[in-house]
Amino acid sequence: MVNHAPLTPLDFIARAADVYGDRLAVVHGEIRRNWRETYVRSCQLASALQQRGIGKDDTVAVLLPNIPAMVECHFGVPMAGAVLNTLNTRLDLASILYMLRHGEAKVLIVDTEYLPMVEELRQALPELQIIGVHDQAADTPAVPAGWTCYEVLLLNGDPEFEWQPPADEWDAIALNYTSGTTGDPKGVVYHHRGAALNAISNILEWDMPKHAVYLWTLPMFHCNGWCFPWTLAARAGVNVCLRKFDPQQVLELIAKEKVTHYCGAPIVQSALANAPAEWREGIKHKVSTMVAASPPSSAMLAQMVEMGFDITHVYGLTEVYGPATVCAKQEDWAELSLADQAQKNARQGVRYHLQKAVTVRDPETMQPVPADGETLGEIMFRGNICMKGYLKNPAATEASFKGDWFHTGDLAVMNPDGYVRIKDRSKDIIISGGENISSIEIEDALYQHPAVIAAAVVAAPDAKWGEVPCAFIETRAGITLTKEDVIDHCKKLLASFKVPKIIVFKELPKTSTGKIQKFVLREEAGSITAIDQN
């Protein structure tokens, strides 16, 4: 049609190759490829997959760290008409096996680091085609005999492959599984339209310039890297690859490659903020960082500002392609104290440019809560940056879209200025003696103690109060903190009934994306309480 073309992020890499073909696209160790080379390799991948019988709506799963092949898969797989299923590299065999079966994957592209798991997968799924990726930069094992080598596969593909955009922009482009902490993971289906629009929204919210240099601290398996593989192609930027997060290596790469942008969960930001100052000595340029996952503490935000890193706070979920709201900064905030600026920036904010709406509503009546900063409701989204639905789960899809809004399960308030602030996940609210206590409020207080590097608060059962706050605290190396110290600190910042009644010092369990695994801590809190009460 002359005046309509389906939206797809695949157009971004075609344009990057045409307009900025000679510009650097991918950096990984000694590997440095431009956009023309990256586009050709993506075309070869698409062609080779089609030669193997892969086509429209077939699932191609990938088990890869943040390496060049992972960037190429974000283009080559959908160019073949297939659906890209990026798998969390930290998951156990049973979880991976479930996802491969549920998603009906026909191909698995896998880094040879994961050889032991793949051998078991081959036995369980003999029809699954295995394509092995040997990462020379990390000297991973060679591709075993009997496997298809990724580089050989590309050589067999057509470098001038004429891929076709989707017939319908509503067609699936990716499949991402939720964490599944309360049952089997749900398969979230992304469409080409949403992926393209969120990729563009990332540019708009971050004022991301052409040729930005982006460091992959955020796993690309997580919500397709918040759609940033497609964003970087739209800006003809540079993908600086990183197999594994290490604070010293990250700061070295920021200095060496003149990294301008990176994303990360609060735990990632905290690790960088608390790194030795000498690790940052070579960084003389502006660095923009985006933080999401659990709400960042005002103390951590203040630390990043003091480092000279410009931080943008976003919020979202797998079901909305990663970030879908942003704490858009206002000019008059600059006149506030650093602490007050951090409080403002800790909010989840307002809708992304190309998301239709975000609201806070009573989940039962579906009425908006008053914008008073006090009344609790559930955050809900509507618009183009919402999933197509849950794969093979119409009941869950219908429930999540009740009332023509996507229900996040996150409890929040709407402030008078129209900015959303999360108070808790619905399952994380602590009800103590009839009072609702926000675990996030307590965590924010804990993070203000200079000895605390990570904190999580969950409900613990209590015979008298029903539930009480239980705080798990990770302290800085070499610093001793007592329970009495924590209690005295919290009493200065919180009402007495909100002060943690149980305090545990330990290294906190985290997911591969840096999220603290509260479900693990809830189980532990129950055991601790039971022992204390006997």
Side-chain angles (χ1 to χ4, degrees):
M1 186 180 294
V2 68
N3 58 359
H4 177 269
L7 287 176
T8 174
L10 303 181
D11 282 333
F12 301 155
I13 191 171
R15 184 180 185 275
D18 284 343
V19 181
Y20 300 109
D22 292 329
R23 290 201 67 101
L24 188 61
V26 173
V27 172
H28 185 50
E30 298 301 315
I31 295 172
R32 303 181 85 84
R33 296 193 183 109
N34 63 30
W35 276 107
R36 186 177 299 106
E37 292 167 324
T38 302
Y39 178 63
V40 166
R41 287 172 63 86
S42 300
C43 288
Q44 289 175 300
L45 173 59
S47 170
L49 288 172
Q50 283 200 353
Q51 290 172 20
R52 287 173 162 256
I54 303 302
K56 180 173 167 49
D57 293 336
D58 288 333
T59 301
V60 175
V62 300
L63 190 64
L64 298 170
N66 289 346
I67 59 176
M70 186 61 137
V71 177
E72 294 157 6
C73 283
H74 275 81
F75 297 96
V77 171
M79 281 176 176
V83 179
L84 176 65
N85 175 206
T86 54
L87 299 169
N88 185 329
T89 58
R90 299 278 185 86
L91 290 177
D92 59 278
L93 175 66
S95 298
I96 294 288
L97 191 56
Y98 172 84
M99 293 173 186
L100 291 172
R101 283 174 169 155
H102 184 264
E104 299 181 32
K106 292 189 174 181
V107 175
L108 174 64
I109 302 175
V110 58
D111 191 284
T112 54
E113 177 183 346
Y114 313 113
L115 281 175
M117 176 184 288
V118 177
E119 288 302 331
E120 295 190 61
L121 291 173
R122 283 163 63 92
Q123 294 179 22
L125 300 170
E127 299 301 316
L128 185 66
Q129 299 183 50
I130 306 291
I131 299 169
V133 179
H134 166 57
D135 183 4
Q136 292 181 336
D139 196 26
T140 55
V143 177
W147 287 32
T148 298
C149 174
Y150 180 79
E151 293 299 328
V152 173
L153 179 82
L154 263 57
L155 289 174
N156 292 327
D158 181 0
E160 297 182 0
F161 177 69
E162 295 185 5
W163 59 274
Q164 298 297 316
D168 186 341
E169 61 189 17
W170 187 246
D171 284 352
I173 188 172
L175 172 65
N176 289 283
Y177 281 90
T178 59
S179 59
T181 56
T182 56
D184 287 334
K186 294 193 288 290
V188 177
V189 181
Y190 289 0
H191 43 79
H192 282 254
R193 178 181 178 82
L197 293 177
N198 207 37
I200 295 169
S201 276
N202 285 333
I203 298 168
L204 296 172
E205 307 308 343
W206 224 357
D207 296 325
M208 199 174 194
K210 288 189 180 81
H211 319 310
V213 181
Y214 181 89
L215 178 61
W216 276 108
T217 46
L218 175 75
M220 272 184 260
F221 64 65
H222 181 55
C223 307
N224 296 109
W226 297 353
C227 295
F228 274 98
W230 301 312
T231 295
L232 266 291
R235 292 279 76 186
V238 182
N239 294 273
V240 181
C241 295
L242 184 70
R243 283 187 71 93
K244 183 180 180 181
F245 176 76
D246 172 79
Q248 185 170 7
Q249 185 183 9
V250 164
L251 293 169
E252 287 175 353
L253 283 170
I254 289 175
K256 178 185 176 184
E257 302 294 342
K258 297 296 185 286
V259 168
T260 59
H261 294 74
Y262 75 92
C263 299
I267 195 69
V268 168
Q269 309 289 2
S270 180
L272 296 177
N274 291 295
E278 57 266 27
W279 292 0
R280 302 194 298 270
E281 286 180 355
I283 302 173
K284 308 296 183 183
H285 61 284
K286 178 184 175 182
V287 180
S288 297
T289 180
M290 192 175 275
V291 61
S294 57
S297 70
S298 57
M300 186 274 290
L301 287 168
Q303 280 181 295
M304 300 300 292
V305 172
E306 289 172 1
M307 284 171 57
F309 282 35
D310 182 55
I311 193 163
T312 298
H313 181 205
V314 295
Y315 159 77
L317 304 89
T318 303
E319 289 87 344
V320 290
Y321 297 71
T325 70
V326 59
C327 191
K329 297 172 185 176
Q330 301 293 334
E331 190 174 6
D332 59 356
W333 293 2
E335 301 172 7
L336 301 174
S337 68
L338 194 58
D340 287 342
Q341 286 184 49
Q343 285 287 346
K344 292 280 190 183
N345 285 321
R347 298 181 298 174
Q348 283 58 50
V350 296
R351 65 186 174 97
Y352 252 34
H353 269 83
L354 300 177
Q355 180 68 298
K356 177 65 176 176
V358 62
T359 184
V360 180
R361 294 179 177 245
D362 183 309
E364 298 302 321
T365 67
M366 292 302 295
Q367 293 302 305
V369 302
D372 56 10
E374 297 291 338
T375 307
L376 205 61
E378 183 180 0
I379 300 178
M380 302 180 190
F381 284 101
R382 173 187 286 169
N384 293 302
I385 311 175
C386 286
M387 65 173 178
K388 191 170 183 177
Y390 294 117
L391 181 67
K392 303 177 186 176
N393 199 337
T397 301
E398 183 178 357
S400 70
F401 288 161
K402 174 189 172 186
D404 290 330
W405 288 90
F406 168 66
H407 295 238
T408 66
D410 285 329
L411 302 181
V413 296
M414 179 66 75
N415 287 295
D417 61 359
Y419 280 58
V420 171
R421 174 149 194 157
I422 285 181
K423 288 297 185 180
D424 239 326
R425 292 287 296 176
S426 56
K427 61 178 175 292
D428 290 335
I429 283 287
I430 302 164
I431 305 174
S432 185
E435 297 279 0
N436 286 354
I437 302 174
S438 166
S439 66
I440 291 172
E441 182 182 359
I442 302 173
E443 289 163 4
D444 195 58
L446 291 170
Y447 275 113
Q448 294 183 49
H449 194 291
V452 174
I453 193 170
V457 175
V458 299
D462 183 83
K464 180 179 180 180
W465 300 106
E467 293 179 338
V468 294
C470 174
F472 292 87
I473 298 171
E474 189 174 327
T475 59
R476 301 182 192 281
I479 297 180
T480 300
L481 193 64
T482 67
K483 295 180 180 180
E484 290 72 22
D485 293 334
V486 173
I487 291 170
D488 289 344
H489 169 76
C490 288
K491 283 182 176 178
K492 298 173 185 176
L493 301 170
L494 301 168
S496 59
F497 71 93
K498 297 180 181 179
V499 174
K501 302 300 186 287
I502 301 170
I503 299 168
V504 180
F505 297 104
K506 62 175 293 181
E507 182 177 351
L508 304 188
K510 305 173 188 76
T511 69
S512 56
T513 56
K515 293 182 182 179
I516 296 171
Q517 294 177 308
K518 280 196 170 183
F519 72 97
V520 174
L521 298 177
R522 287 189 204 100
E523 294 179 5
E524 186 172 337
S527 301
I528 293 170
T529 306
I531 293 171
D532 289 348
Q533 290 177 343
N534 286 337

